[in-house]
């Protein structure tokens, strides 16, 4: 029997993180197992098809990281970015043209590459992986300075020019500071205890919703939508979040409210996936095997 290589296990863990995020239910305005949230062009099955299509890219990125002759530097992103463009094409083919995971392809690809580089040195801690990811992602900040034709202008570029918001590029260049500050501590504290994994993930999402500047919300609802995102999440957290019956009941009602407002905190959802990945990566190198990683 052939067992998966380390790069394949890293890639599979990236895909698992995406699946666990979309499966977490109920999520306000987001696609989950019960509703499409504020989306009319995608559902739970769309995300399953998309994740399956893009999963091989993450293993490719991990192999690139494992094969680096030295720690990552600002040339490393160029090793994976062309394949990332092809991966976006695979996503669109699998979803009938729907953008389900463009942000995740960017963030998870960088993290998979960073994880490969760190695994080669025997350290898959969140601190090590995020430090490497920050180095890899640094050149992406230059994207905003590059002129593009009007038809290629994205919401991210518009928000950067109007408000100076760097979105997922800024998160990656910071070593995914928001995921580490708001979501990862929740996973570390409550995972493996008496709470369902689904609810722990929702609780982590609420902490992100209460604190993150979500560009998806800004694009759909402006500053008022962002204020509503933060206030509603803090309201649920004050009731105990997703870990109490009262908080869970209020969270369920928020789905309808976000959907009516057309709001979907997709940026927070992407960061939840990042946090789930960071939480699970260290287990890929069993104790005593540090420094003995193989591709």
């Amino acid at each position: 029997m052939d067992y998966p290589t380390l790069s394949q296990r890293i890639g599979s863990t990236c895909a698992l993180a995406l699946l666990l995020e979309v499966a977490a239910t109920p999520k306000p305005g987001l696609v989950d197992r019960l509703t499409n949230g504020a989306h009319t062009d995608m559902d739970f099955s769309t995300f399953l098809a998309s994740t399956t299509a893009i999963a091989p890219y993450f293993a490719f990125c991990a192999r690139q990281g494992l094969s680096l002759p030295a720690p990552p530097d600002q040339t490393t992103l160029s090793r994976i970015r062309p394949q990332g463009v092809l991966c976006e094409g695979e996503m669109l083919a699998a979803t009938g043209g729907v953008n389900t995971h463009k942000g995740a392809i960017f963030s998870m690809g960088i993290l998979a590459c960073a994880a490969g580089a760190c695994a080669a040195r025997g350290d898959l801690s969140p601190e090590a992986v995020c430090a490497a990811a920050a180095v890899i992602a640094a050149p992406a900040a230059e994207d905003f300075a590059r002129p593009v034709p009007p038809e290629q202008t994205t919401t991210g570029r518009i928000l950067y020019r109007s408000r100076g918001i760097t979105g997922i590029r800024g998160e990656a260049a910071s070593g995914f500071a928001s995921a580490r500050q708001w979501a990862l501590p929740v996973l570390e504290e409550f995972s493996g205890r008496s709470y369902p994994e689904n609810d722990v993930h929702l609780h982590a999402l609420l902490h992100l919703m209460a604190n993150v500047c979500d560009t998806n919300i800004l694009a759909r609802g402006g500053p008022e939508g962002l204020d509503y995102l933060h206030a509603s999440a803090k309201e649920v957290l004050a009731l105990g979040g997703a870990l109490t019956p009262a908080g869970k009941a209020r969270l369920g009602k928020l789905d309808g409210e976000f959907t009516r407002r057309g709001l979907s905190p997709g940026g927070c959802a992407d960061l939840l996936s990042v946090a789930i990945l960071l939480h699970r990566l260290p287990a890929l190198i069993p104790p005593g095997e540090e420094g003995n990683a193989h591709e």
Side-chain angles (χ1 to χ4, degrees):
M1 178 177 180
D2 293 329
Y3 290 92
T5 64
L6 181 55
S7 60
Q8 289 171 330
R9 294 203 301 273
I10 292 171
S12 295
T13 306
C14 291
L16 176 60
L18 294 176
L19 291 172
L20 289 172
E21 179 280 311
V22 72
T25 304
K27 296 194 300 289
L30 292 160
V31 172
D32 58 30
R33 286 175 284 126
L34 294 179
T35 77
N36 300 349
H39 300 275
T40 59
D41 58 349
M42 61 183 79
D43 58 18
F44 186 64
S45 295
T46 313
F47 274 81
L48 298 184
S50 178
T51 303
T52 301
I54 67 178
Y57 172 64
F58 303 132
F60 163 81
C61 292
R63 286 195 301 273
Q64 293 300 306
L66 277 161
S67 66
L68 290 174
D73 59 28
Q74 294 196 4
T75 68
T76 304
L77 184 62
S78 63
R79 296 170 66 102
I80 63 173
R81 223 171 190 187
Q83 287 294 321
V85 174
L86 297 177
C87 183
E88 288 183 12
E90 292 297 314
M91 172 195 72
L92 295 173
T95 63
V98 178
N99 173 18
T100 47
H101 283 120
K102 186 173 182 178
I105 290 170
F106 175 79
S107 59
M108 290 296 207
I110 287 173
L111 283 165
C113 186
C118 291
R121 291 155 182 82
D123 185 1
L124 277 176
S125 67
E127 296 77 15
V129 172
C130 287
V135 174
I136 296 170
E142 301 171 5
D143 290 350
F144 293 118
R146 297 190 184 100
V148 296
E151 64 272 14
Q152 295 182 19
T153 297
T154 63
T155 299
R157 287 179 178 272
I158 293 170
L159 288 174
Y160 176 75
R161 290 171 182 170
S162 62
R163 301 177 182 272
I165 296 170
T166 54
I168 191 60
R169 292 175 179 83
E171 287 287 352
S174 74
F176 297 95
S178 294
R180 288 185 287 117
Q181 180 176 2
W182 303 114
L184 185 59
V186 174
L187 302 182
E188 292 175 340
E189 180 177 358
F190 295 107
S191 294
R193 294 171 57 179
S194 59
Y195 303 103
E197 185 176 51
N198 176 82
D199 295 355
V200 174
H201 292 163
L202 291 175
H203 200 59
L205 177 65
L206 282 165
H207 281 269
L208 291 167
M209 290 169 56
N211 294 284
V212 168
C213 179
D214 191 305
T215 55
N216 287 39
I217 293 290
L218 274 176
R220 286 171 170 259
E224 298 81 7
L226 189 63
D227 289 342
Y228 174 72
L229 172 74
H230 293 163
S232 60
K234 289 174 181 176
E235 177 191 355
V236 178
L237 287 171
L239 295 171
L243 306 182
T244 66
K248 192 81 174 288
R250 182 70 186 107
L251 178 60
K253 292 180 180 178
L254 279 184
D255 188 23
E257 295 175 15
F258 271 65
T259 298
R260 284 191 294 273
R261 291 171 178 256
L263 298 177
S264 176
C268 292
D270 285 348
L271 291 172
L272 174 60
S273 300
V274 167
I276 294 172
L277 173 65
L278 294 174
H279 182 61
R280 288 176 170 267
L281 279 175
L284 298 186
I285 300 182
E289 293 189 14
E290 295 86 352
N292 295 316
H294 299 284
E295 183 177 329

